[in-house]
Amino acid sequence: ILDHKRMPGIHIGGLYKHTFPTFAIQSELLISSKGYQSNSIGDTYINNLFLYLELPFYIRKNILDKKNFQLYLICGVSVMYKVLAINLVSEIDGVRNFDSGINLGAGIQHGKISLDVRFTQSYINLDLIKPSKFNQTLSVGMNFYFKDKSP
């Protein structure tokens, strides 16, 4: 029986946010890592790492907006392109090049810094060989805003 454990990932990139009177739209361009450890014999685990070029689009709604502090919710979709799929042995075959998912999250922003928590659920099967393998990501992020297009 195959045993899987989640691996922590990281993403880095940039974002653009445009604020309207009642909501904001936010688009991002990220390089993100996803992965899992698999075990089939004894206590030996193999790290499977996937790198994606990710393009998420969000609607952002402030639920609390006080002077220089906002509490917000975000939801949207993302499109991902697989750049690399490897483990310690070789490149991993049978992984789809494209993925897409639904994103939900919440965060706080103070001035030009925000901290958020996001959950992404992929809705395209990641594995071309075995069914029912979907990317699921829970991430914590910190954003630095250089310029905010607010009215």
Side-chain angles (χ1 to χ4, degrees), residues 11 14-16 26-30 54-58 74 116 118 143:
H11 65 257
L15 67 87
Y16 172 80
Q26 182 171 309
S27 62
E28 302 175 354
L29 181 60
L30 307 170
E54 192 167 348
L55 188 61
F57 295 96
Y58 293 105
I74 54 174
D116 60 32
R118 303 175 184 187
N143 304 303

Side-chain angles (χ1 to χ4, degrees), residues 42-59:
D43 290 335
T44 305
Y45 286 89
I46 297 174
N47 293 337
N48 298 291
L49 176 66
F50 305 94
L51 288 179
Y52 286 93
L53 181 62
E54 192 167 348
L55 188 61
F57 295 96
Y58 293 105
I59 300 282

Side-chain angles (χ1 to χ4, degrees), residues 2 5 15 25 29 32 41 48 58 71 77 96 100 115-116 125 148:
L2 214 51
K5 291 183 179 181
L15 67 87
I25 56 172
L29 181 60
S32 61
I41 302 172
N48 298 291
Y58 293 105
L71 177 63
V77 296
R96 290 189 192 279
S100 188
L115 183 65
D116 60 32
N125 186 17
D148 188 1

Side-chain angles (χ1 to χ4, degrees), residues 9-80:
I10 190 169
H11 65 257
I12 189 167
L15 67 87
Y16 172 80
K17 183 180 89 169
H18 186 81
T19 304
F20 295 97
T22 58
F23 70 97
I25 56 172
Q26 182 171 309
S27 62
E28 302 175 354
L29 181 60
L30 307 170
I31 294 286
S32 61
S33 68
K34 304 174 190 303
Y36 63 92
Q37 294 178 327
S38 60
N39 173 319
S40 59
I41 302 172
D43 290 335
T44 305
Y45 286 89
I46 297 174
N47 293 337
N48 298 291
L49 176 66
F50 305 94
L51 288 179
Y52 286 93
L53 181 62
E54 192 167 348
L55 188 61
F57 295 96
Y58 293 105
I59 300 282
R60 174 177 159 160
K61 176 70 175 162
N62 289 341
I63 55 176
L64 177 66
D65 195 351
K66 300 286 183 188
K67 252 187 176 181
N68 212 15
F69 177 83
Q70 293 91 34
L71 177 63
Y72 61 88
L73 299 174
I74 54 174
C75 71
V77 296
S78 61
V79 177
M80 297 161 261

